[in-house]
Amino acid sequence: MASPRLISCVLALAALTAGGCSSPAPAPTGGEPKVSGVAGGKGGAPASGGASASTSPAPAALTPEAYKGELDSRHKSMAAAIDALVAARGVKALDQRVSKAEDALSGAADALAVLTPPDAIRAQHDTYVTSLRDFATELGTTSGKVGARDLCTSSAVLTDVDDKLTALDKAGEALQSAGDYPADVVDVSAKKKQTRRLSNGSYIRKGSLNGRSSLQIDNGGTRDAVVTVVKGGSKAFSVYVRRKAKFKVRGVRDGSYKIYFTHGVDWDGKGKTFTRECSFERFQKSVKFKTTFTATQIRWHDWRITLHAISGGNARTAPVDPDDFPG
């Protein structure tokens, strides 16, 4: 039987990874428990030698003259983009210019955000950059509305972004008044949302209507419409027909006519277009009016068109590129 000392040595070997066997050290007979560690801090690693870490100094603020130069280098492109948007004629041009204005303002905001303005105008600078970003973001949303034909004119776009446009205008004025800084990129104002309509049967263009035939127009849709009738390459007449209403054009002269129509909300008489919810279509087949004279009678053709789908209808319509619509 192994002696107690030998058993103690075997147990010690099972717990050791290296070294020889020795007698266990006597247990401490008193005092407080002791632990090893590093003085200073709560369990942190010992401080490394050498110099302590340091941060880079903040960039110096620009001088007023240098800051004006930075603003001026971007002022013209932003103002030009907004002016181009306002001057857009036609839905396709408007769509392109809204996107370009978004890019111009977003790019300017990114460039100005990294600048360190003079200390005296830091607050105005930050507000101006934020307003540029907000307006650019709003234009991005509005671009989708233009693409969907929910907004069809620049005036409708400006009305849609009125809050952000006003905020940018105020931020630019505040920065400008703080030291004549070139930040006045907004020189237009938005009008309140309108729903302008003409009376049913109002002629937008009334050509020579001295024939014998008539054209009955039935607009059973949910939006007002303008019907434009073209003979050859010239407009014969254009007439406004309200939603859920009818109108008969009398005196149509003989000939073959193409019939176009646009639906929408809020008629802009100056631009001769709807500003919201616009669509552009035409009847695929031409309509022929013909008067026949005999020894005993005069016969002529009358036509009736509907601007909405009806059961048994035999006249197909097709969408028209807005640029190809006879304005």
Side-chain angles (χ1 to χ4, degrees):
M1 180 176 179
S3 65
R5 181 177 180 82
L6 180 58
I7 293 173
S8 181
C9 183
V10 171
L11 293 175
L13 283 171
L16 295 175
T17 58
C21 179
S22 61
S23 301
T29 58
E32 298 179 355
K34 295 181 180 180
V35 296
S36 63
V38 178
K42 298 181 179 180
S48 59
S52 59
S54 61
T55 58
S56 301
L62 295 172
T63 64
E65 290 73 19
Y67 182 65
K68 285 181 180 179
E70 293 287 350
L71 284 175
D72 192 53
S73 66
R74 295 166 180 86
H75 175 272
K76 291 181 180 179
S77 62
M78 288 192 291
I82 294 176
D83 288 345
L85 186 160
V86 174
R89 296 293 179 267
V91 181
K92 291 176 67 175
L94 180 65
D95 196 7
Q96 295 171 354
R97 294 183 187 186
V98 168
S99 295
K100 288 182 179 180
E102 178 193 359
D103 292 341
L105 271 70
S106 179
D110 290 342
L112 294 174
V114 300
L115 300 180
T116 303
D119 292 337
I121 59 162
R122 183 177 293 275
Q124 292 91 331
H125 167 84
D126 291 344
T127 300
Y128 184 61
V129 171
T130 298
S131 296
L132 284 174
R133 288 195 191 283
D134 289 347
F135 187 43
T137 299
E138 192 75 2
L139 284 174
T141 301
T142 299
S143 179
K145 296 178 183 179
V146 174
R149 304 288 192 266
D150 293 331
L151 302 175
C152 311
T153 64
S154 59
S155 62
V157 168
L158 294 178
T159 298
D160 192 62
V161 300
D162 183 31
D163 291 345
K164 303 303 181 185
L165 183 71
T166 300
L168 176 58
D169 191 25
K170 290 181 178 179
E173 289 178 353
L175 189 54
Q176 187 178 27
S177 62
D180 197 26
Y181 293 103
D184 55 331
V185 296
V186 179
D187 58 1
V188 296
S189 58
K191 296 179 179 179
K192 292 183 178 180
K193 192 173 183 178
Q194 303 178 79
T195 306
R196 294 164 289 181
R197 306 173 74 191
L198 297 180
S199 300
N200 188 56
S202 296
Y203 283 99
I204 297 164
R205 174 184 173 81
K206 188 175 183 180
S208 298
L209 294 175
N210 55 6
R212 295 181 180 273
S213 300
S214 66
L215 176 65
Q216 173 81 25
I217 303 169
D218 184 354
N219 179 18
T222 59
R223 295 168 293 161
D224 291 358
V226 169
V227 176
T228 299
V229 178
V230 176
K231 181 180 180 182
S234 302
K235 288 187 295 182
F237 58 87
S238 293
V239 64
Y240 193 99
V241 184
R242 288 193 169 196
R243 64 178 182 266
K244 307 299 183 183
K246 301 177 182 179
F247 183 74
K248 180 180 285 188
V249 178
R250 302 179 185 277
V252 180
R253 303 174 69 180
D254 288 0
S256 179
Y257 296 85
K258 294 179 181 179
I259 301 177
Y260 296 78
F261 59 99
T262 174
H263 281 107
V265 174
D266 183 41
W267 178 254
D268 179 359
K270 183 177 181 180
K272 295 183 179 180
T273 187
F274 290 106
T275 70
R276 302 191 305 275
E277 300 179 40
C278 58
S279 61
F280 304 88
E281 299 176 72
R282 68 175 177 85
F283 285 93
Q284 292 182 343
K285 292 185 177 180
S286 297
V287 175
K288 294 183 179 180
F289 293 90
K290 183 178 181 181
T291 303
T292 304
F293 296 86
T294 69
T296 59
Q297 60 183 204
I298 303 174
R299 305 184 66 180
W300 60 88
H301 289 82
D302 292 331
W303 286 89
R304 173 177 173 263
I305 60 172
T306 60
L307 307 183
H308 57 283
I310 59 172
S311 177
N314 59 3
R316 294 183 178 275
T317 63
V320 176
D321 188 311
D323 287 352
D324 297 331
F325 193 86

